[in-house]
Amino acid sequence: MERRQRDWMLSIVVPVMNEEAAIARFLEAVDRTLGDAVPRLEILFVDDGSTDATLVTLRERAALDPRTRVISLTRNFGKEAAMTAGLDHARGDAVVPMDVDLQDPPEVILEFIRLWREHGYDMVYGIRGSRDEDTQAKRTSAGLFYRFFNRLAETPIPSNAGDFRLMDRRVVEAIKRLPERNRFMKGLFNWPGYRCTGVYYNRPARESGESKFNFWKLWNFAIDGFVSFSTWPLRIWMYFGAVIAGLAFLYILLLVGRVIVVGSDVPGYASLMTAILFFGGMQLLSVGILGEYVGRLFIEAKQRPLYLIAEDSLEAKDSLEAKAGLVDEASRTS
């Protein structure tokens, strides 16, 4: 097996956007922890349309360190697309997606590697033992999300497990076969199955910069997760409609009985408006949920690429070396 080979490669996939201040500290931490611990190391940065000096800094680092590779996307496609680009181009026998802010400690990767190589796990994911760096509101909302998602989704995900994990090459190849455009990576990571285990770690505060995720982005992220891995939001309306239809039938029987017993009865304005507003709101809500799924079908049907690459430092380096080889050969023949 590849994991038993001595000359195996570890690829670290790092999506970045406007993170110029964090790059140097991240590379120093990775080199200090993993520099001598793995036979071959690839640090693959995916620049997701940065508007600061992130790309310039990455180019400089790639020129100095052959282990550093930079892929630049043509614009901001989002973190999920950037991570997908990294997985598509990573060359390692094992791949670790992680953030550049060092909230995912590189030291934990050593335990990932041990479990992967010595115990044969195909995927080892990190579980946040504490979320002290998050606000109380974020911790509460995260707990509710994992609880509801695992109750409703067809593919459960480990609670408090983010993107930080080690994946064997065959897991990466399986994920690369999943073509959907609306990508909820936490779910996609767990969909292939294989042998998995978790490692608990304490997540420190960010070394520099600030998170690009606000409440609105997290809310949309949660909706993407539910809609991508569960049909429950659609199915519930069938049960809701059946209950309402049953109650309406009972109410009809009650009205007919009252008319037979006490005579004609004129319904009141308040009860009529309440019924109209209630059922109108329910219909709009159900149409909105249906629209979420139809919209995703529309996006999938167009088959647009997930991302476009502006440059790849590895391809640029290979091109320069090829040109230098041609020049040397021409000079020798002349």
Side-chain angles (χ1 to χ4, degrees):
M1 296 177 63
E2 290 179 346
R3 70 189 70 181
R4 299 296 183 186
Q5 296 176 357
R6 293 183 178 181
D7 192 29
W8 59 276
M9 175 185 283
L10 174 69
S11 290
I12 299 178
V13 173
V14 192
V16 291
M17 188 187 74
N18 297 338
E19 296 282 5
E20 59 175 310
I23 293 171
R25 194 174 288 119
F26 174 82
L27 287 173
E28 291 171 2
V30 170
D31 182 63
R32 183 172 59 251
T33 305
L34 302 174
D36 299 324
V38 298
R40 290 188 296 157
L41 178 63
E42 175 186 56
I43 307 174
L44 175 54
F45 289 95
V46 182
D47 180 62
D48 190 23
S50 296
T51 56
D52 61 359
T54 295
L55 184 55
V56 175
T57 304
L58 290 174
R59 286 171 180 160
E60 294 173 351
R61 290 285 180 168
L64 296 173
D65 187 352
R67 300 174 302 178
T68 303
R69 179 182 175 189
V70 182
I71 291 178
S72 173
L73 305 186
T74 57
R75 64 171 177 84
N76 178 254
F77 286 90
K79 183 181 179 181
E80 308 296 279
M83 191 179 303
T84 301
L87 295 179
D88 288 345
H89 291 82
R91 298 173 295 163
D93 302 303
V95 179
V96 176
M98 63 186 300
D99 294 333
V100 74
D101 55 20
L102 292 178
Q103 287 190 286
D104 301 328
E107 295 80 10
V108 182
I109 299 177
L110 296 175
E111 180 64 12
F112 289 173
I113 294 173
R114 187 187 70 82
L115 292 170
W116 171 63
R117 286 181 59 81
E118 297 180 9
H119 296 270
Y121 287 104
D122 296 295
M123 181 163 60
V124 185
Y125 50 84
I127 303 175
R128 299 159 186 169
S130 65
R131 303 184 64 127
D132 295 337
E133 79 285 353
D134 294 333
T135 63
Q136 181 62 41
K138 188 173 182 180
R139 290 197 295 269
T140 302
S141 60
L144 291 174
F145 167 76
Y146 285 112
R147 188 177 306 163
F148 280 107
F149 185 92
N150 288 332
R151 280 178 176 268
L152 305 178
E154 300 170 1
T155 303
I157 59 178
S159 297
N160 292 318
D163 300 325
F164 185 41
R165 63 191 65 212
L166 181 146
M167 293 175 287
D168 185 75
R169 168 50 56 180
R170 64 174 179 169
V171 178
V172 175
E173 292 299 324
I175 294 173
K176 287 167 64 175
R177 295 173 58 190
L178 305 179
E180 53 255 50
R181 269 64 187 163
N182 290 286
R183 301 182 72 79
F184 180 67
M185 296 304 295
K186 289 182 177 63
L188 295 181
F189 286 147
N190 289 277
W191 185 87
Y194 296 106
R195 288 192 67 206
C196 305
T197 189
V199 172
Y200 284 88
Y201 70 98
N202 291 323
R203 197 167 193 239
R206 286 179 63 101
E207 289 282 338
S208 60
E210 58 184 20
S211 174
K212 305 300 185 296
F213 279 91
N214 53 33
F215 176 79
W216 182 246
K217 288 184 178 180
L218 291 172
W219 170 256
N220 288 323
F221 186 65
I223 291 177
D224 285 339
F226 279 115
V227 175
S228 297
F229 283 88
S230 175
T231 57
W232 179 85
L234 287 175
R235 188 174 302 163
I236 190 175
W237 292 104
M238 178 181 68
Y239 298 113
F240 184 79
V243 172
I244 294 298
L247 293 176
F249 181 74
L250 293 177
Y251 188 58
I252 290 172
L253 293 179
L254 176 62
L255 291 178
V256 171
R258 288 187 60 186
V259 170
I260 293 175
V261 175
V262 258
S264 179
D265 184 24
V266 178
Y269 174 79
S271 60
L272 180 63
M273 288 301 299
T274 300
I276 291 175
L277 293 174
F278 175 75
F279 288 112
M282 290 297 100
Q283 288 172 351
L284 289 175
L285 181 59
S286 61
V287 169
I289 293 176
L290 183 62
E292 283 287 333
Y293 284 89
V294 173
R296 280 159 172 74
L297 289 174
F298 176 66
I299 293 173
E300 296 291 338
K302 289 187 289 188
Q303 292 291 298
R304 289 177 180 171
L306 284 170
Y307 56 86
L308 295 174
I309 294 178
E311 65 177 272
D312 184 342
S313 63
L314 180 63
E315 293 180 0
K317 180 181 179 181
D318 291 342
S319 177
L320 288 174
E321 291 177 351
K323 289 180 181 178
L326 291 174
V327 170
D328 291 341
E329 183 178 353
S331 62
R332 286 195 301 268
T333 55
S334 61

